[in-house]
Amino acid sequence: MIQFDEKNSIFKIDTAGSSYVMGLADNEYLGHVYYGEKLSDTRLSYLLGMDVNPFTPKQKIGEKVSFMDCFPLEYPTQGLGDFRESCLAVRRSNGQEQAELIYKGYKIYKGKPTLAGLPATWGEDSETLEIILTDAVAGLKVTLFYSVFEGMDALAKSVTIENIGEETVYLTKVLSSSLDIRPGSYELLSLHGSWARERHMNRREIGYGSMGIETCRGISGHQENPFLAVVSEGTTQSYGEVYAMNFVYSSNFTAKVQKNQFDHIRAVMGIHPEHFTWKLSPGEVFTAPEVVLVYSGEGLGKMTRTYHEVYRNHLIRSEWKDKMRPVLINNWEATYFNFNTEKLLDIARTAKEHGIEMLVMDDGWFGYRESDNSSLGDWIVNEEKLQGGLKYLVDEVHRIGLKFGIWFEPEMISPDSDLYRAHPDWALHCEGRVPGQARNQLVLDLTRPEVADYIYDSIATILRSADIEYVKWDMNRPLSDIGSSYLPSDQQGEIMHRQMLAVYHMQERMLKEFPKLLLENCSGGGARFDPGMLYFSPQFWCSDDTDAIERLIIQEGTQLVYPLSTIGAHVSDCPNHTTGRVTPFSTRGDVALSGTFGYELDITKISESDRKEIPGQIEKFKKYNPLIVSGDYYRIASYQDNHDYDCYQIVSKDKKKSIVTFVQVHAKPNAKKRYIRLCGLQPDLYYQIGEEIYMGDTLMKAGLPIPVVFGDYKSMIFELNQLNK
Ligand code: DGJ
């Protein structure tokens, strides 16, 4: 529920368990009052602290800058005395850069508007507050949007900036959210990584000054996920306060926290101001991407479950989102570039015999691509490799009884390609410089409409040519050489954002033309695993590291925010191609079960004993997947923390079923049985596990006995079924 208490000048946004409160000083300045456990009353303006520092500009014009220096502005700007992290900077035609936003009015309504060209949360059961602020000098109207969804402790925030003046201005910084938090001992939690080591949880104390995470790579990146949480010191899975923010965007971002002279903490998030200048002519509107805030007063676990619910119900749109995904086999780790029709059909036949449902043909089927140094942009089937053509292959795969999926990397161009030879200016490049390559490739300039159209048509032509059910959309290098021979000089600062909008537009177009398509996004593994992408694809390839033990950490970090149904996870061959580690086939299967599940190996070549396990693994997938994708997720123990074992649990919404996955990473001599305390069960009801019966309360307080196992990397899945009363 959203309300405005006019008498107290208080806006109060309530979710099931939280309140987000803003108030007005002098009826002009919008301040942040409170975010936390739900409050009942609206007599809250005292929290703005104006009785302690009684010098609003109306009361004491001689101290306006001091007021700006400590007032908790809801949407802070630069240049007029608020010296903390800001959200908005505007350069006017005279070159000056300040903005002062004065409250003008508000609207409260049912529903939630879409964000022009951008992914965003949605939902009929939503309610929205718009607060309008203006700067009469710079000629700006800033609208702050706040939306909430029935039953979810989450808040979606976004901003539009409209030029209501008569001169063209340049936006040099537009962040999407700011949150002021009262003094306390807090830590910053983020998801850090690199290629093949994505989203490791990273926690550090928040001290004085600014700290945070960012990317300027044009992808959200392997290095930092666009997620940040300010957590009270000592926060655990079930204890502590959490203020979390997640950016619904897939390109450059900044997320900073700053502890100031008064020990207040400000946390901001938005498009990174580096490489960003947006020309805003009179009448134009700029829309900033959305931030999804979650508050939990009961630790990280509740935050996780809230994000999972919001994304499952209010972000992912694909018709696949609640459907069981086909068990696929991808030929990347099986063959890399070395395959042909016959090889793929061999894999498909053996896969079918073992219960696999879809073949995905990865990189290397087009142009003359035999390695990663050519042909991106030439989306024409290589018929020397795929003898008989693509349609023949797809039809044969269907005849065998499997669905068919295909790989693309649409945003890229190889210098060694017919496309580049014909259009060298279609790659991003800066005048007078040779553009830098990464993985032997350049980035297409998608700000040029004819390039985006050409690439879309090339891809669509392939998709129209055969009955293709799945697309893996890859992206394998960061953006550099940010220059476009298409855009005028005063719009070169728009390239990064325009590039992202073009990718979103292409995916939107593709899904419109092929609405049944199962789209998986991918970026050198998991470099674009962000909410922006989940709006288009219900799943994302999580990491090029398919080692089951490395995946425990990668998937723990990913599951902290993103639903299990979105996490691309496959069983691969051993020794693992990225770590050289050898793990039991069964453990690889159990770990992949907490994601989309599939295979990434040459099924014709693995050992007979491993192959024999596949039907049983698929049976487990079919049995547990409905619970895995819809249930509540509890992180019980973390191998990243204890360096010993990992354990997580999923409980159905009605608490009747649960599964617990336990992985013993390192065996110990003279080990004793462990008793692991479970979560989320019905305390006064009984659960059957194997032959044994336990009360929910006992399992949660005293623990589930885990037998001693011999050997490293051993996994177990326990199935719990509630007994009728
Ligand atoms: C990176 C992806 O993460 C891999 O799965 C594979 O598709 C390669 N690209 C292909 O080049």
Side-chain angles (χ1 to χ4, degrees), residues 508-525:
E508 186 71 29
R509 233 175 129 180
M510 187 168 85
L511 292 167
K512 221 177 196 160
E513 184 173 352
F514 307 98
K516 293 200 176 327
L517 203 66
L518 172 52
L519 176 63
E520 176 173 89
N521 268 292
C522 170
S523 177

Side-chain angles (χ1 to χ4, degrees), residues 195 198 222 330 332-333 336-337 362-364 369 372 407 409 439 441 472 474-476 520 522-526 541 543-544 600:
W195 173 77
E198 295 92 335
H222 298 99
N330 177 304
W332 179 240
E333 286 195 28
Y336 294 101
F337 294 100
D362 212 283
D363 193 355
R369 189 161 165 96
D372 62 16
W407 179 98
E409 191 174 359
R439 209 193 189 209
Q441 62 202 53
K472 177 175 174 185
D474 205 347
M475 196 287 192
N476 282 303
E520 176 173 89
C522 170
S523 177
W541 182 228
S543 175
D544 277 345
E600 179 118 4

Side-chain angles (χ1 to χ4, degrees), residues 10 17 22 40 153 223 277 289 302 322 344 391 510 539 542 578 600 634:
I10 285 290
M22 291 164 283
S40 328
D153 286 333
Q223 291 72 14
T277 303
K302 186 171 173 215
D322 301 319
L344 294 176
K391 180 152 170 41
M510 187 168 85
Q539 60 191 58
C542 184
T578 44
E600 179 118 4
Y634 292 87

Side-chain angles (χ1 to χ4, degrees), residues 426 445-457 484 486-487 498 502 505-506 509:
W426 279 18
D445 177 2
L446 298 174
T447 69
R448 300 176 80 108
E450 80 265 35
V451 177
D453 283 347
Y454 174 86
I455 293 296
Y456 178 76
D457 284 340
S484 164
Y486 168 74
L487 289 172
R498 283 186 182 271
H505 182 62
M506 279 164 80
R509 233 175 129 180

